[in-house]
Amino acid sequence: MDTEKLLPYDDFNIDNITLYDYTDEGLKYITSFVEITRYIEEIHQLFNIFQYNIRRLLSIYELNNHDKIKRHVPQFEDFSDSTELNALVISLISSGKTLVDAVQACVQSCYSKDSNEYSEFCKILSKEYDNCFSYRFLTRLRDFSQHGHVPVSWDGEAACFDIGQLINTPHFNHNKTILGEMERFCDELLIKEKVQPRHVFSIAIAEFSVSIFKIYYEYWETMGDSFYTSLSNINDLIKQYPETIRHKDKKYDGLLFYQIGNGLHTFYASGLSDKMYVQYLEEAKELKGSEEKELERFRGRVKYIS
């Protein structure tokens, strides 16, 4: 995950650094700041992985309103479109679900399970889950694919999520709520519209992706109080004990060393600011807004596959 680095041991001499004997409160401030910065760096990495999966899909295929897929690039070796589409979609929905699980765990860890902040964030997650069928549906398809099943159907020209086939897949128990929705979906299209019950591939991917962008933005909004409290605490600590980041060997100046058990840890603590948090928050806000606008334009052009 690349959120930590090790110092070379060869030329390291502990006598050349300042190793302050912190109070329990001071050590708590340090470890809390390290934990929250490690968390948010890793969350940002997971978000980039999710973005990569979206862009990778769109760099290979053009998604349009009738779900007839057009390739941008030549076929990879002898793998079929069905194989490639399923590989890309499984990676996309898995990375989205992993990101959501990670942001929820981060909020719980940084505030506590009983906190108002965590409770409110869980309400945001529940609201998005309740309001967007594609988000619920593809989240469930992540479990479906992990149990050895293939979620995307391909007829040689168009891709879709074939609800009828998904319902009747053996050896997999669908969530009761999702199963009921899929059954009603089938009845609506088969009986009333006289067409095959297929959920539009392009709109499902678009709506799922926008849900992830919205949750990611809400995560940064939620984390503000925790981050700024932790940043203030660590800066106050350094202001009170400035000698902690000054060392006999000047190449270590700016580093704060601390000890937990037999382990020696350090991070760069000179001039700490909110630059990283503000950058990630603004990035999330901008992406959420642009993706929501694009989704609205796309929805106006969507047709079901018949």
Side-chain angles (χ1 to χ4, degrees), residues 133 137 163 167 174 178-186:
F133 172 74
F137 179 60
I163 304 295
I167 288 176
H174 287 284
I178 295 294
L179 179 60
E181 288 183 288
M182 290 196 296
E183 288 174 339
R184 289 191 294 274
F185 188 95
C186 284

Side-chain angles (χ1 to χ4, degrees), residues 192-210:
K192 294 184 179 181
E193 303 295 334
K194 310 299 183 186
V195 296
Q196 289 298 313
R198 299 170 180 173
H199 190 36
V200 181
F201 178 81
S202 53
I203 196 66
I205 295 296
E207 289 179 341
F208 175 80
S209 299
V210 168

Side-chain angles (χ1 to χ4, degrees), residues 19-31:
L19 187 58
Y20 196 81
D21 186 16
Y22 295 100
T23 64
D24 289 344
E25 183 180 41
L27 190 59
K28 182 181 178 180
Y29 288 162
I30 292 169
T31 55

Side-chain angles (χ1 to χ4, degrees), residues 32-33 35-37 40 106-107 109-112 117 219-233 277:
S32 295
F33 180 76
E35 179 184 14
I36 194 172
T37 52
I40 63 179
C106 177
V107 173
S109 175
C110 293
Y111 284 107
S112 86
E117 290 84 358
Y219 161 76
W220 287 109
E221 285 283 5
T222 301
M223 287 301 295
D225 286 347
S226 181
F227 174 78
Y228 279 107
T229 296
S230 186
L231 178 63
S232 176
N233 287 338
Y277 172 80

Side-chain angles (χ1 to χ4, degrees), residues 57-64 68-72:
L57 174 62
L58 296 178
S59 72
I60 297 174
Y61 294 102
E62 178 183 320
L63 307 186
N64 50 55
K68 289 186 176 180
I69 304 297
K70 180 180 178 182
R71 267 190 170 273
H72 291 303

Side-chain angles (χ1 to χ4, degrees), residues 56-62 69-85 88 154:
R56 182 62 178 158
L57 174 62
L58 296 178
S59 72
I60 297 174
Y61 294 102
E62 178 183 320
I69 304 297
K70 180 180 178 182
R71 267 190 170 273
H72 291 303
V73 297
Q75 198 164 334
F76 179 65
E77 296 185 356
D78 59 349
F79 293 104
S80 67
D81 283 295
S82 177
T83 298
E84 194 158 14
L85 279 166
L88 292 166
W154 169 252

Side-chain angles (χ1 to χ4, degrees), residues 1 25 28 34 36 88 93 106 110 131-132 141 149-150 176 205 207 241 267 287 294 303:
M1 60 183 178
E25 183 180 41
K28 182 181 178 180
V34 169
I36 194 172
L88 292 166
I93 60 180
C106 177
C110 293
N131 290 348
C132 182
L141 286 189
H149 302 295
V150 179
K176 289 184 178 179
I205 295 296
E207 289 179 341
Y241 305 108
F267 65 94
L287 286 169
E294 182 60 31
K303 299 176 183 177

